[in-house]
Amino acid sequence: MRLLTWLSESTDDRPDAVKVGDRAVSWIELRHLATAVADDLRGVDRVAIGATASLETVVGAAGALLAGVAVVPVPPDAGPMERDHVLSDSAASAVLVPARDEHPGTRWGRPVIPVDLSRHAGTVHPEPDPADPALILYTSGTTGAPKGAVLSRRAVAACLDGLAEAWHWTPDDLLVHGLPLFHVHGLVLGVLGPLRLGGRLHHVGQPRPERYAAAAGTLYFGVPTIWSRIAAAPDAARALRSARLLVSGSAALPATVFADLATLTGHQVVERYGMTETLITISAQADGPRRPGTVGVPLPGVCTRLVDEQGGVLPADGTSMGELQVHGPTLFDGYLNRPDAGAAARTSDGWFRTGDVATIGPDGWHRIVGRAATDLIKSGGYRIGAGEVEDALLAHPGVWEAAVVGTPHPDLGEQVTAYVVGDGVGEAELIDFVARRLSGHKRPRQVRLVDALPRNALGKVQKSRLTAD
Ligand code: MLC
Ligand code: AMP
């Protein structure tokens, strides 16, 4: 079967089938636009894409996947440090950018292929091997620069088919969201989902409550920050009563938001759990119960287990807490150029170590209770590695030491907070310094200048003592 089944085969000619912002195309037109990109990509095996929330990103990604070219999305606001790392580490030999960009060549340092929404083609490209990479998604680790997770076409297909079954996702659905198009949530589920499973897609640009309300969808995706903003906008929330399914993921949905949305929208939000490296592995079902604070049961073909610190498997009794490990058809193939990190992320019997601490009930329901490492921060659904932000701060000549932690934030769940030892530096200057090097969401929201960082007898920074008071 083709990866982009619906895009490849649909005869749906409704003019507003795929709408991003205020630009819409039919499925047939999208196929012809994407095919023109696929034709341009002959000879390329990995292509970066400046992944703005635009129709060009949808067309570019679809074209690359039709041609069997691995897609490397680059966050549109990635600063030069982050962008250069993604481009050089991935060895993408070209970059797809909107044809309407006036100076497309200047920032990329490699050939630019314009995505031109006036060019159509009808070539039929042979379907690539399902084992070939579909996407290389850069994701933060606890230390160092982001790593490129290699996701095969087969893994993407297995994830989407599992979600179609769990959520009863069909060509009758109109999916609405406003997520960024460079991560699993917005790109894999939110774009490749409709391209494989059909229906219509409306990407609303910024995920503002009133835009979700006006879109009259059947299926809505959001991260908890988006859902809590909708819960705080009762008129917008009430407009979602006519939807079929509201889905939350990428971070824990607070029980209060679940309850408020149930009252306002009449829907109990479906929560699902996943990672860049594993795609979506666990979810509540469309025809099953929803339980606030839990993320559901494994998707088709996925196995899960809890493991203690010695590697012993814990019982699924609803109270034993251990690291959640997963196994199944949706797992990534490894990190590009980092076989060491790929090997460390798996057990000797092939399970992926999520780093999340969970319980599993006797009925198979999973509850995520926290993370094993304090060095990964989830802010507004974005995963941010403390080490990457610390490295950016240490590049400032006035910074001697830096320790970055996640601290509670009412809207974003967690915020990036930096503790800095330095000379003659100010908070605003350091925030701006990081923002100019990394994506905007990675910049600290707060910088606290301190005389020294708390360290243990071995000299290791004790981050828990930073936030203890
Ligand atoms: C935006 N900003 C953030 C931020 N999002 N800062 C910290 N944390 C965040 N999450 C910054 C911007 O850089 C900008 O800075 C300022 O805040 C305002 O930005 P904005 O564009 O107006 O956005 P805002 O409304 O604040 O964004 C909130 C949000 C966004 C929830 C819409 O964070 C978002 O789209 N989150 C989704 C992340 C996501 O898709 N994660 C999925 C990962 S995949 P300045 O300097 O310009 O003012 C995954 C697997 C799975 O996790 O299970 O799905
Ligand atoms: P990312 O790599 O950005 O895809 O982030 C993956 C991480 O997001 C997981 O390891 C979890 O910590 C977190 N996550 C995703 N979905 C959920 C959820 N529904 N509840 C709690 N945490 C989640």
Short mmCIF file of all heavy atoms in Angstrom, two decimals, residues 359-405:
data_model
loop_
_atom_site.label_atom_id
_atom_site.label_comp_id
_atom_site.label_asym_id
_atom_site.label_seq_id
_atom_site.Cartn_x
_atom_site.Cartn_y
_atom_site.Cartn_z
N THR A 359 2.55 4.20 35.64
CA THR A 359 1.93 3.01 36.23
C THR A 359 1.05 2.40 35.13
O THR A 359 0.60 3.10 34.22
CB THR A 359 1.04 3.33 37.45
OG1 THR A 359 -0.05 4.15 36.99
CG2 THR A 359 1.80 4.05 38.54
N ILE A 360 0.82 1.08 35.24
CA ILE A 360 -0.12 0.42 34.34
C ILE A 360 -1.13 -0.33 35.22
O ILE A 360 -0.74 -1.08 36.12
CB ILE A 360 0.58 -0.59 33.41
CG1 ILE A 360 1.74 0.07 32.64
CG2 ILE A 360 -0.43 -1.20 32.42
CD1 ILE A 360 2.53 -0.88 31.74
N GLY A 361 -2.40 -0.08 34.98
CA GLY A 361 -3.43 -0.75 35.79
C GLY A 361 -3.66 -2.18 35.31
O GLY A 361 -3.27 -2.54 34.20
N PRO A 362 -4.33 -3.00 36.13
CA PRO A 362 -4.63 -4.38 35.73
C PRO A 362 -5.48 -4.42 34.44
O PRO A 362 -5.45 -5.40 33.70
CB PRO A 362 -5.43 -4.93 36.91
CG PRO A 362 -5.18 -4.00 38.05
CD PRO A 362 -4.81 -2.67 37.48
N ASP A 363 -6.22 -3.33 34.18
CA ASP A 363 -7.04 -3.25 32.96
C ASP A 363 -6.26 -2.68 31.78
O ASP A 363 -6.82 -2.40 30.72
CB ASP A 363 -8.26 -2.36 33.24
CG ASP A 363 -7.84 -1.01 33.85
OD1 ASP A 363 -6.61 -0.75 33.96
OD2 ASP A 363 -8.73 -0.21 34.20
N GLY A 364 -4.95 -2.47 31.94
CA GLY A 364 -4.12 -2.01 30.81
C GLY A 364 -4.05 -0.50 30.64
O GLY A 364 -3.40 -0.01 29.71
N TRP A 365 -4.70 0.26 31.54
CA TRP A 365 -4.65 1.72 31.41
C TRP A 365 -3.36 2.28 31.97
O TRP A 365 -2.93 1.89 33.05
CB TRP A 365 -5.88 2.35 32.11
CG TRP A 365 -7.04 2.34 31.17
CD1 TRP A 365 -7.71 1.22 30.77
CD2 TRP A 365 -7.62 3.45 30.51
NE1 TRP A 365 -8.70 1.57 29.87
CE2 TRP A 365 -8.67 2.94 29.70
CE3 TRP A 365 -7.37 4.81 30.50
CZ2 TRP A 365 -9.45 3.76 28.90
CZ3 TRP A 365 -8.16 5.63 29.71
CH2 TRP A 365 -9.19 5.11 28.91
N HIS A 366 -2.77 3.21 31.22
CA HIS A 366 -1.49 3.79 31.59
C HIS A 366 -1.65 5.19 32.18
O HIS A 366 -2.46 5.99 31.68
CB HIS A 366 -0.59 3.90 30.35
CG HIS A 366 -0.14 2.57 29.82
ND1 HIS A 366 -1.02 1.61 29.39
CD2 HIS A 366 1.10 2.04 29.65
CE1 HIS A 366 -0.34 0.55 28.98
NE2 HIS A 366 0.95 0.79 29.13
N ARG A 367 -0.85 5.46 33.20
CA ARG A 367 -0.81 6.79 33.80
C ARG A 367 0.64 7.25 33.76
O ARG A 367 1.52 6.54 34.25
CB ARG A 367 -1.31 6.69 35.25
CG ARG A 367 -1.41 7.99 36.00
CD ARG A 367 -1.88 7.74 37.44
NE ARG A 367 -3.23 7.21 37.50
CZ ARG A 367 -4.33 7.96 37.50
NH1 ARG A 367 -4.25 9.28 37.46
NH2 ARG A 367 -5.53 7.41 37.55
N ILE A 368 0.90 8.40 33.16
CA ILE A 368 2.27 8.93 33.14
C ILE A 368 2.43 9.78 34.40
O ILE A 368 1.66 10.74 34.59
CB ILE A 368 2.53 9.81 31.88
CG1 ILE A 368 2.16 9.06 30.58
CG2 ILE A 368 3.98 10.32 31.83
CD1 ILE A 368 2.97 7.84 30.28
N VAL A 369 3.40 9.43 35.24
CA VAL A 369 3.51 10.17 36.51
C VAL A 369 4.69 11.14 36.54
O VAL A 369 4.78 11.96 37.44
CB VAL A 369 3.55 9.22 37.73
CG1 VAL A 369 2.22 8.52 37.91
CG2 VAL A 369 4.66 8.21 37.63
N GLY A 370 5.59 11.05 35.59
CA GLY A 370 6.71 12.00 35.57
C GLY A 370 7.81 11.52 34.65
O GLY A 370 7.60 10.60 33.87
N ARG A 371 8.95 12.16 34.76
CA ARG A 371 10.09 11.77 33.94
C ARG A 371 11.23 11.32 34.82
O ARG A 371 11.43 11.83 35.92
CB ARG A 371 10.59 12.96 33.10
CG ARG A 371 9.76 13.24 31.89
CD ARG A 371 10.57 14.02 30.85
NE ARG A 371 11.67 13.21 30.35
CZ ARG A 371 11.57 12.30 29.38
NH1 ARG A 371 10.43 12.07 28.81
NH2 ARG A 371 12.63 11.62 28.98
N ALA A 372 12.00 10.36 34.32
CA ALA A 372 13.14 9.86 35.10
C ALA A 372 14.22 10.94 35.17
O ALA A 372 14.85 11.12 36.19
CB ALA A 372 13.67 8.58 34.47
N ALA A 373 14.44 11.68 34.08
CA ALA A 373 15.50 12.69 34.05
C ALA A 373 14.89 14.08 34.23
O ALA A 373 13.83 14.37 33.69
CB ALA A 373 16.24 12.64 32.71
N THR A 374 15.60 14.95 35.01
CA THR A 374 15.08 16.31 35.17
C THR A 374 15.54 17.22 34.03
O THR A 374 15.15 18.36 33.94
CB THR A 374 15.60 16.94 36.49
OG1 THR A 374 17.02 16.83 36.48
CG2 THR A 374 15.01 16.28 37.70
N ASP A 375 16.39 16.69 33.14
CA ASP A 375 16.99 17.55 32.13
C ASP A 375 16.19 17.67 30.84
O ASP A 375 16.66 18.24 29.86
CB ASP A 375 18.41 17.08 31.83
CG ASP A 375 19.37 17.54 32.93
OD1 ASP A 375 19.00 18.47 33.65
OD2 ASP A 375 20.46 16.97 33.04
N LEU A 376 14.99 17.11 30.80
CA LEU A 376 14.11 17.35 29.66
C LEU A 376 12.92 18.16 30.17
O LEU A 376 12.28 17.79 31.14
CB LEU A 376 13.63 16.05 29.03
CG LEU A 376 14.58 15.36 28.07
CD1 LEU A 376 13.92 14.14 27.45
CD2 LEU A 376 15.08 16.29 26.96
N ILE A 377 12.65 19.26 29.49
CA ILE A 377 11.60 20.18 29.89
C ILE A 377 10.51 20.12 28.84
O ILE A 377 10.81 20.03 27.64
CB ILE A 377 12.19 21.61 29.99
CG1 ILE A 377 13.33 21.64 31.02
CG2 ILE A 377 11.11 22.64 30.31
CD1 ILE A 377 14.29 22.79 30.86
N LYS A 378 9.23 20.13 29.27
CA LYS A 378 8.13 20.20 28.31
C LYS A 378 7.42 21.52 28.49
O LYS A 378 6.76 21.76 29.52
CB LYS A 378 7.16 19.04 28.55
CG LYS A 378 7.43 17.84 27.69
CD LYS A 378 6.72 17.92 26.34
CE LYS A 378 7.33 17.01 25.32
NZ LYS A 378 6.52 16.86 24.10
N SER A 379 7.55 22.40 27.52
CA SER A 379 6.96 23.72 27.63
C SER A 379 5.98 23.92 26.48
O SER A 379 6.39 23.90 25.31
CB SER A 379 8.08 24.77 27.58
OG SER A 379 7.56 26.06 27.72
N GLY A 380 4.71 24.02 26.80
CA GLY A 380 3.70 24.18 25.75
C GLY A 380 3.70 23.01 24.78
O GLY A 380 3.31 23.15 23.62
N GLY A 381 4.15 21.84 25.22
CA GLY A 381 4.19 20.65 24.36
C GLY A 381 5.50 20.49 23.62
O GLY A 381 5.73 19.46 22.99
N TYR A 382 6.37 21.48 23.67
CA TYR A 382 7.71 21.36 23.06
C TYR A 382 8.67 20.68 24.03
O TYR A 382 8.70 21.04 25.22
CB TYR A 382 8.29 22.74 22.73
CG TYR A 382 7.72 23.42 21.53
CD1 TYR A 382 7.07 24.65 21.66
CD2 TYR A 382 7.85 22.88 20.26
CE1 TYR A 382 6.57 25.32 20.55
CE2 TYR A 382 7.35 23.54 19.15
CZ TYR A 382 6.70 24.75 19.30
OH TYR A 382 6.21 25.40 18.20
N ARG A 383 9.49 19.77 23.50
CA ARG A 383 10.51 19.13 24.33
C ARG A 383 11.79 19.95 24.21
O ARG A 383 12.26 20.21 23.10
CB ARG A 383 10.71 17.71 23.80
CG ARG A 383 11.87 16.95 24.33
CD ARG A 383 11.68 15.48 23.95
NE ARG A 383 12.90 14.79 23.63
CZ ARG A 383 12.93 13.56 23.10
NH1 ARG A 383 11.80 12.93 22.83
NH2 ARG A 383 14.07 12.98 22.84
N ILE A 384 12.35 20.34 25.33
CA ILE A 384 13.53 21.21 25.35
C ILE A 384 14.59 20.57 26.23
O ILE A 384 14.32 20.26 27.40
CB ILE A 384 13.15 22.61 25.89
CG1 ILE A 384 12.05 23.24 25.01
CG2 ILE A 384 14.38 23.52 25.95
CD1 ILE A 384 11.35 24.42 25.63
N GLY A 385 15.76 20.33 25.69
CA GLY A 385 16.85 19.74 26.46
C GLY A 385 17.58 20.83 27.23
O GLY A 385 18.02 21.83 26.65
N ALA A 386 17.73 20.60 28.56
CA ALA A 386 18.42 21.60 29.38
C ALA A 386 19.83 21.84 28.84
O ALA A 386 20.31 22.97 28.80
CB ALA A 386 18.46 21.13 30.83
N GLY A 387 20.51 20.77 28.42
CA GLY A 387 21.90 20.88 27.98
C GLY A 387 22.06 21.79 26.77
O GLY A 387 23.04 22.55 26.66
N GLU A 388 21.10 21.75 25.85
CA GLU A 388 21.20 22.59 24.65
C GLU A 388 21.11 24.08 25.03
O GLU A 388 21.85 24.92 24.50
CB GLU A 388 20.08 22.23 23.67
CG GLU A 388 20.23 22.89 22.32
CD GLU A 388 19.04 22.64 21.39
OE1 GLU A 388 18.07 21.98 21.80
OE2 GLU A 388 19.10 23.13 20.25
N VAL A 389 20.23 24.39 25.99
CA VAL A 389 20.07 25.79 26.41
C VAL A 389 21.30 26.21 27.22
O VAL A 389 21.80 27.34 27.09
CB VAL A 389 18.77 25.97 27.22
CG1 VAL A 389 18.57 27.44 27.60
CG2 VAL A 389 17.57 25.46 26.43
N GLU A 390 21.81 25.29 28.06
CA GLU A 390 23.03 25.60 28.83
C GLU A 390 24.20 25.88 27.87
O GLU A 390 24.96 26.84 28.06
CB GLU A 390 23.37 24.43 29.77
CG GLU A 390 22.40 24.35 30.95
CD GLU A 390 22.38 22.98 31.63
OE1 GLU A 390 23.17 22.10 31.23
OE2 GLU A 390 21.56 22.80 32.55
N ASP A 391 24.34 25.07 26.83
CA ASP A 391 25.43 25.29 25.86
C ASP A 391 25.30 26.66 25.20
O ASP A 391 26.29 27.36 24.98
CB ASP A 391 25.42 24.21 24.78
CG ASP A 391 25.90 22.87 25.32
OD1 ASP A 391 26.42 22.84 26.44
OD2 ASP A 391 25.73 21.85 24.61
N ALA A 392 24.06 27.04 24.88
CA ALA A 392 23.85 28.35 24.24
C ALA A 392 24.23 29.48 25.20
O ALA A 392 24.86 30.46 24.81
CB ALA A 392 22.39 28.49 23.79
N LEU A 393 23.84 29.34 26.48
CA LEU A 393 24.20 30.37 27.47
C LEU A 393 25.71 30.46 27.65
O LEU A 393 26.28 31.55 27.74
CB LEU A 393 23.55 30.04 28.82
CG LEU A 393 22.04 30.32 28.91
CD1 LEU A 393 21.44 29.60 30.11
CD2 LEU A 393 21.78 31.83 29.02
N LEU A 394 26.37 29.28 27.69
CA LEU A 394 27.82 29.26 27.92
C LEU A 394 28.61 29.87 26.76
O LEU A 394 29.79 30.20 26.91
CB LEU A 394 28.29 27.83 28.20
CG LEU A 394 27.84 27.28 29.57
CD1 LEU A 394 28.04 25.78 29.65
CD2 LEU A 394 28.57 27.99 30.71
N ALA A 395 27.94 30.03 25.61
CA ALA A 395 28.62 30.66 24.47
C ALA A 395 28.77 32.17 24.70
O ALA A 395 29.49 32.84 23.97
CB ALA A 395 27.84 30.38 23.18
N HIS A 396 28.05 32.71 25.70
CA HIS A 396 28.17 34.14 26.00
C HIS A 396 29.45 34.37 26.83
O HIS A 396 29.66 33.68 27.84
CB HIS A 396 26.94 34.59 26.80
CG HIS A 396 26.85 36.07 26.95
ND1 HIS A 396 27.73 36.80 27.73
CD2 HIS A 396 25.99 36.97 26.40
CE1 HIS A 396 27.41 38.08 27.67
NE2 HIS A 396 26.36 38.21 26.87
N PRO A 397 30.27 35.33 26.43
CA PRO A 397 31.55 35.51 27.13
C PRO A 397 31.41 35.87 28.61
O PRO A 397 32.32 35.61 29.39
CB PRO A 397 32.24 36.63 26.34
CG PRO A 397 31.19 37.26 25.50
CD PRO A 397 30.13 36.23 25.28
N GLY A 398 30.26 36.43 29.01
CA GLY A 398 30.09 36.81 30.41
C GLY A 398 29.51 35.70 31.28
O GLY A 398 29.28 35.92 32.47
N VAL A 399 29.23 34.55 30.68
CA VAL A 399 28.62 33.46 31.46
C VAL A 399 29.69 32.44 31.81
O VAL A 399 30.37 31.92 30.94
CB VAL A 399 27.47 32.79 30.65
CG1 VAL A 399 26.97 31.55 31.37
CG2 VAL A 399 26.34 33.79 30.43
N TRP A 400 29.83 32.16 33.12
CA TRP A 400 30.83 31.17 33.55
C TRP A 400 30.20 29.80 33.76
O TRP A 400 30.79 28.78 33.43
CB TRP A 400 31.50 31.64 34.85
CG TRP A 400 32.20 32.95 34.71
CD1 TRP A 400 32.65 33.50 33.54
CD2 TRP A 400 32.50 33.89 35.73
NE1 TRP A 400 33.23 34.72 33.78
CE2 TRP A 400 33.16 34.98 35.12
CE3 TRP A 400 32.29 33.92 37.10
CZ2 TRP A 400 33.59 36.08 35.85
CZ3 TRP A 400 32.73 35.01 37.83
CH2 TRP A 400 33.38 36.09 37.20
N GLU A 401 29.01 29.80 34.37
CA GLU A 401 28.34 28.52 34.62
C GLU A 401 26.85 28.73 34.37
O GLU A 401 26.33 29.82 34.59
CB GLU A 401 28.51 28.09 36.08
CG GLU A 401 29.94 27.79 36.49
CD GLU A 401 29.98 27.43 37.97
OE1 GLU A 401 29.38 26.41 38.35
OE2 GLU A 401 30.57 28.19 38.74
N ALA A 402 26.17 27.66 33.95
CA ALA A 402 24.72 27.77 33.73
C ALA A 402 24.06 26.44 34.03
O ALA A 402 24.61 25.38 33.72
CB ALA A 402 24.45 28.17 32.27
N ALA A 403 22.91 26.51 34.67
CA ALA A 403 22.11 25.31 34.92
C ALA A 403 20.67 25.65 34.56
O ALA A 403 20.12 26.66 35.01
CB ALA A 403 22.20 24.90 36.38
N VAL A 404 20.06 24.81 33.71
CA VAL A 404 18.71 25.10 33.21
C VAL A 404 17.76 24.04 33.73
O VAL A 404 18.06 22.84 33.69
CB VAL A 404 18.74 25.16 31.67
CG1 VAL A 404 17.34 25.12 31.09
CG2 VAL A 404 19.47 26.42 31.21
N VAL A 405 16.60 24.49 34.22
CA VAL A 405 15.60 23.56 34.74
C VAL A 405 14.21 23.97 34.24
O VAL A 405 14.02 25.08 33.75
CB VAL A 405 15.58 23.57 36.30
CG1 VAL A 405 16.87 23.00 36.86
CG2 VAL A 405 15.35 24.99 36.83
#
